Amino acid sequence: MSGYRELFYNSVLSVQMTKSNNEHLALTFCKSNTSHDQRYIDQHSCLHTLGLKITIEPSSFVENLDPNSFDHPKDFVIATARGKAQEVAKRLSMPQSSPDFVIGADTCVTLDGTVYGKPKDRDHAFSMLSNLSGRSHEVLTGVCLMVHKGEEWQEVDFSETTTVKFATLSPQVINAYIDTGEPMDKAGGYGIQALGGMLIEGIQGDYYNVMGFPLHRFCKSLVPVLEEMFS
């Protein structure tokens, strides 16, 4: 095994080690307070595969940031992820019971400079999917990892981008997909991990990023944090 892979796997999997008194590292993943998005279940599953002990905590952060006020969509998703994480970290900061990590994430779809969030209604979903039809777009996920150190929190922020190529979709196919109800709670109006995967010809980049959590990039960002924690 190469030095990098040994460092990567040993550091990431060491999260299953104990800090003291057989107490496992505690991670809290933030979700929108009013959302029932399947993406949060998928994000939890991604992290669970690493052996991480995860709890999902609704964030009361109001997701009303204007994407047009940011220089780039990646800054928008990072800011939203940071808002979710900061609210939860502040609320859960209690002596002897705070989580070791709080993770916030947010995803958007961009095409021709337009940021696509979740559809407002059926007509909006149809418009989104019609625009994506036969073209390539970008999926961006921003992540804010907050690390509890003493009485303070340290932030590690990053974003990941994946290019997704849609097949050419007829109005009948789009309407049939909308009829399933799946598009209504997903950025861009589709989910690659479910029926929406049938609409996609290919991707360039991290598949898990399109699901809503860039697993590889997160692990790479977690390595130096764990090295410091266990040193």
Side-chain angles (χ1 to χ4, degrees):
M1 180 180 290
S2 68
Y4 169 76
R5 291 185 63 195
E6 182 176 8
L7 171 66
F8 180 83
Y9 286 110
N10 286 349
S11 296
V12 171
L13 295 180
S14 69
V15 78
Q16 300 180 67
M17 297 171 58
T18 57
K19 290 175 62 182
S20 61
N21 299 323
N22 294 321
E23 182 177 325
H24 288 276
L25 289 169
L27 293 92
T28 296
F29 191 91
C30 307
K31 69 180 290 291
S32 298
N33 194 37
T34 58
S35 175
H36 301 286
D37 192 343
Q38 175 68 27
R39 179 173 285 116
Y40 291 104
I41 298 175
D42 299 324
Q43 292 167 336
H44 180 274
S45 298
C46 288
L47 292 168
H48 185 70
T49 62
L50 296 177
L52 304 179
K53 180 182 178 182
I54 304 292
T55 59
I56 298 179
E57 179 70 23
S59 174
S60 62
F61 174 73
V62 179
E63 297 181 46
N64 61 357
L65 300 179
D66 180 5
N68 295 318
S69 66
F70 294 86
D71 292 334
H72 192 277
K74 68 180 180 180
D75 301 316
F76 165 66
V77 289
I78 288 175
T80 303
R82 183 185 298 120
K84 296 177 186 178
Q86 287 179 340
E87 188 280 323
V88 170
K90 181 178 180 180
R91 177 159 42 87
L92 298 185
S93 292
M94 294 179 290
Q96 308 303 320
S97 61
S98 295
D100 298 289
F101 302 101
V102 172
I103 306 164
D106 189 66
T107 300
C108 76
V109 167
T110 66
L111 177 67
D112 296 335
T114 299
V115 174
Y116 292 81
K118 299 173 186 176
K120 299 175 183 177
D121 51 36
R122 183 184 182 93
D123 289 342
H124 193 203
F126 187 90
S127 175
M128 281 186 180
L129 293 168
S130 297
N131 290 339
L132 298 179
S133 175
R135 302 187 64 191
S136 294
H137 62 271
E138 292 186 333
V139 178
L140 296 92
T141 299
V143 176
C144 177
L145 169 64
M146 300 195 68
V147 185
H148 196 207
K149 292 188 173 183
E151 298 181 356
E152 299 181 350
W153 290 90
Q154 174 186 327
E155 292 183 15
V156 179
D157 301 328
F158 64 88
S159 68
E160 187 70 19
T161 301
T162 302
T163 301
V164 179
K165 175 66 167 63
F166 253 42
T168 300
L169 309 176
S170 68
Q172 292 80 7
V173 168
I174 294 174
N175 277 316
Y177 180 52
I178 295 174
D179 285 342
T180 68
E182 185 176 286
M184 304 313 297
D185 65 351
K186 294 173 175 59
Y190 74 93
I192 192 173
Q193 69 276 21
L195 294 173
M198 296 186 292
L199 312 178
I200 295 170
E201 288 187 354
I203 70 170
Q204 182 177 357
D206 186 350
Y207 169 85
Y208 290 102
N209 187 53
V210 186
M211 284 179 59
F213 195 79
L215 187 60
H216 177 73
R217 181 71 180 276
F218 172 75
C219 290
K220 287 183 67 175
S221 299
L222 190 60
V223 166
V225 175
L226 293 176
E227 286 183 320
E228 181 178 348
M229 184 174 289
F230 289 109
S231 62

